[in-house]
Amino acid sequence: MKTDLTDTTASKINKALVKGRRAIGTPAVGMVLTLVIVTDEENAYDALKAANDASREHPSRTLVVIKRVSRSPRDRTQSRLDAEVRVGADAGTGETVVLRLYGEVVDHAQSVVLPLLLPDAPVVVWWPVDAPLDPAGDPLGALAQRRVTDTYSSEQPVRELTARAETYTPGDTDLSWTRITPWRSMLAAALDQVTCEVDAVEVEGEEFNPSCELLAMWLADRLDVPVKRSLSSGPGLTAVRLHTDSGPIVLDRADGSLATLSIQGQPDRAVALKRRDTAELIAEELRRLDPDDTYASALRFGVERLNPSVPFPEPAPKGEPGSDAGESGSGDSVSAESAAAGASAEVAVKAPVEGPAKAPGQEAAPSASLKPVPSGLSGKAAK
């Protein structure tokens, strides 16, 4: 059921919601949160479709705030609020209100949204595009317990990470971070299978993809080892290589759906690491409304501390004598590799990204070594 309201008020919108629920025979409210989507007309359809799909897992009242730009100076002085109220099958398992703001009311969107929030329910604000540099300082962001942005949609994604670190407030999160949850879980599970010490890490992925930087910062922060960031043609993340004293551990995903996990001394295994759509990412973020301390620690590590010039040790070819740790002569090979990793750690000086300033509080970020790895990384992998 759809109801169009032109030049309306928040009170009339609430009445239309009650009337719509009664018309479809569900007067009770069974929603668990309010999801506020702040977007433009171009991206409103895709964002609303993703929110409706996620509402099957999290029934919510979805408020889509679209700030329209008036063409003439006279129109800019006239405030108007148009609304489209959807209930029933047209709104997934919750309720949807599309708000179009004109004129001066654009600068006071929080006053329109506040009366429409579900009482005694959490509030999540999501910016699919054009997120503010300080989400918690935004008037709409101040209403929420969780603030979801997506640095992948920005013009300079990597520099955007530095800005996010400077303005981070508990409750902030990023869909670029959500995209690497399966990678973090798989890497932690792989390191739980062997007893080893990690000497160096290489993260390979397409250029201008903030998920690659976030995964590299997470590994550098947790393992306290030099991390090399290398480029590929994508899609997205393509490989993570861990150089350990027990042999290399490689998680390689070349096609964007199926990955191969290789561990020294074990057969290669195929694992599902498909690229998830936006609805799955939003559904994952709505499962938890508490601050994500792991994301905060990785974000504050700093992009400028990743060094693409770090020499990554080349693994010994499989099947060669001495490549196994149990064979004679392997001690010299391991010690040589460890010495190379130690030398690379000394060479790994800061390589600042052009333009952004260093994130404050970076020195205070936890950087304690968690070696041996199995007991350190696995406990901090899942969100």
Side-chain angles (χ1 to χ4, degrees):
M1 178 178 177
K2 295 183 181 179
T3 304
D4 290 326
L5 302 174
T6 303
D7 197 7
T8 186
T9 62
S11 176
K12 293 179 181 179
I13 295 173
N14 269 321
K15 291 179 181 178
L17 287 170
V18 175
K19 184 179 178 180
R21 288 198 300 267
R22 290 176 178 173
I24 63 175
T26 57
V29 178
M31 291 160 286
V32 298
L33 58 89
T34 302
L35 175 62
V36 182
I37 304 175
V38 187
T39 183
D40 54 17
E41 201 72 61
E42 179 183 359
N43 297 278
Y45 174 81
D46 293 336
L48 186 54
K49 185 178 183 300
N52 286 341
D53 292 341
S55 70
R56 296 187 178 96
E57 183 178 345
H58 309 280
S60 59
R61 173 177 289 180
T62 304
L63 306 177
V64 184
V65 180
I66 302 175
K67 300 179 180 181
R68 300 296 297 269
V69 179
S70 301
R71 295 183 178 180
S72 66
R74 179 178 298 177
D75 292 338
R76 296 191 190 103
T77 61
Q78 298 176 356
S79 298
R80 192 175 93 235
L81 170 63
D82 294 343
E84 181 182 336
V85 180
R86 305 178 186 179
V87 294
D90 295 318
T93 59
E95 300 172 343
T96 300
V97 181
V98 181
L99 304 169
R100 290 181 172 87
L101 284 60
Y102 300 83
E104 295 180 356
V105 74
V106 169
D107 300 326
H108 305 280
Q110 72 280 4
S111 63
V112 177
V113 170
L114 186 59
L116 301 176
L117 302 178
L118 289 173
D120 302 324
V123 178
V124 179
V125 177
W126 171 32
W127 291 270
V129 294
D130 299 330
L133 292 179
D134 185 5
D138 185 82
L140 284 173
L143 301 175
Q145 285 77 35
R146 289 281 277 182
R147 295 162 293 275
V148 184
T149 60
D150 191 356
T151 52
Y152 186 77
S153 64
S154 61
E155 293 184 0
Q156 297 179 328
V158 178
R159 293 186 179 184
E160 194 83 4
L161 292 176
T162 303
R164 292 280 176 265
E166 293 175 353
T167 62
Y168 174 81
T169 302
D172 293 352
T173 190
D174 191 341
L175 291 187
S176 296
W177 171 257
T178 314
R179 291 184 180 96
I180 63 174
T181 300
W183 285 82
R184 295 187 292 122
S185 300
M186 189 59 60
L187 290 171
L191 288 172
D192 277 341
Q193 300 179 33
V194 293
T195 302
C196 63
E197 291 188 2
V198 179
D199 302 320
V201 179
E202 180 182 10
V203 177
E204 180 185 272
E206 64 182 359
E207 193 175 8
F208 306 120
N209 191 319
S211 295
C212 301
E213 266 71 23
L214 283 169
L215 182 61
M217 290 189 291
W218 175 70
L219 289 168
D221 180 43
R222 293 306 179 195
L223 299 177
D224 193 23
V225 296
V227 176
K228 178 181 179 180
R229 171 71 170 94
S230 58
L231 302 180
S232 70
S233 58
L237 272 163
T238 53
V240 175
R241 301 178 182 89
L242 307 177
H243 185 269
T244 74
D245 57 359
S246 299
I249 299 176
V250 180
L251 184 59
D252 191 353
R253 186 191 68 177
D255 59 356
S257 60
L258 191 65
T260 301
L261 177 62
S262 303
I263 302 178
Q264 185 78 20
Q266 300 182 17
D268 294 349
R269 281 163 285 183
V271 294
L273 274 181
K274 72 180 184 69
R275 305 190 73 189
R276 299 181 292 171
D277 57 22
T278 307
E280 294 181 74
L281 301 176
I282 287 295
E284 178 183 330
E285 283 300 332
L286 296 181
R287 292 186 195 121
R288 56 174 299 169
L289 300 177
D290 57 316
D292 192 343
D293 296 332
T294 307
Y295 165 69
S297 180
L299 185 65
R300 287 170 173 162
F301 181 83
V303 179
E304 66 275 6
R305 295 176 65 181
L306 301 178
N307 195 340
S309 63
V310 173
F312 187 77
E314 292 294 335
K318 291 185 178 180
E320 282 194 2
S323 62
D324 195 355
E327 297 185 7
S328 61
S330 61
D332 295 336
S333 175
V334 171
S335 61
E337 292 174 350
S338 301
S344 65
E346 295 178 1
V347 175
V349 295
K350 298 181 180 179
V353 180
E354 183 180 356
K358 188 174 180 181
Q362 179 176 293
E363 290 80 7
S367 59
S369 175
L370 298 178
K371 302 176 183 179
V373 174
S375 62
L377 184 58
S378 60
K380 301 178 182 294
K383 293 177 66 178

